[in-house]
Amino acid sequence: MPFFPRTANSGPARTGRTGPGPGPWLGREPIEDVIREAAAPGSWLPDTRRVRAVTARLQVFVQERAYDVEVAARARALGDPVRGPALAAVREARYRLGLGPGDGYASAITFARSLGRAAEDLLHHERRLRREEEA
């Protein structure tokens, strides 16, 4: 049975190792690199194991960071111009997280890209909240 049900597609053919496979190294890789890999435009057709590893790392990151950004944004005054966009980014990230990868290889890649963009947005808002706090 293929990795992705109802598609008869188990992902790209393995012609050799193109990079490190999933494993403990993924936890030490800077999140910015994982986000860049997932959210980068252009063709991204990695091994199915890499898609799963990137997705798992992004799911944990988005879940944790959404909470952190939400707490920091809710601590702001209601009229604060940084608060609204940060909370909107949290809602969007949680929505994307709830969608799941669906069936098929293409759907798994789309989900990973979506999580990458959500993680990128959360990171941006977290930094913005910190900058505004320091000022």
Side-chain angles (χ1 to χ4, degrees):
M1 178 145 196
F3 278 98
F4 301 102
R6 293 177 264 186
T7 64
N9 180 1
S10 61
R14 296 182 189 183
T15 57
R17 197 171 176 116
T18 58
W25 65 269
L26 191 59
R28 291 187 303 265
E29 185 175 6
I31 193 65
E32 289 84 0
D33 292 345
V34 176
I35 292 170
R36 195 174 307 111
E37 179 181 353
S43 64
W44 186 59
L45 300 174
D47 186 271
T48 55
R49 294 177 303 158
R50 182 66 183 164
V51 174
R52 276 189 250 136
V54 166
T55 300
R57 176 82 190 275
L58 288 171
Q59 284 174 313
V60 170
F61 179 81
V62 166
Q63 190 171 18
E64 291 173 353
R65 206 49 56 105
Y67 176 78
D68 294 341
V69 170
E70 182 179 32
V71 167
R74 289 197 186 281
R76 301 292 186 116
L78 283 176
D80 192 319
V82 178
R83 184 177 199 243
L87 291 174
V90 168
R91 282 191 302 275
E92 178 67 20
R94 287 184 175 149
Y95 171 76
R96 290 181 185 196
L97 191 59
L99 291 176
D103 290 332
Y105 180 69
S107 179
I109 289 176
T110 301
F111 181 58
R113 282 184 177 154
S114 175
L115 284 179
R117 286 190 296 276
E120 190 174 43
D121 203 25
L122 286 172
L123 206 54
H124 165 75
H125 285 288
E126 181 185 48
R127 290 174 179 157
R128 186 173 176 203
L129 285 163
R130 247 191 245 141
R131 267 194 322 267
E132 295 289 325
E133 191 176 275
E134 292 170 356

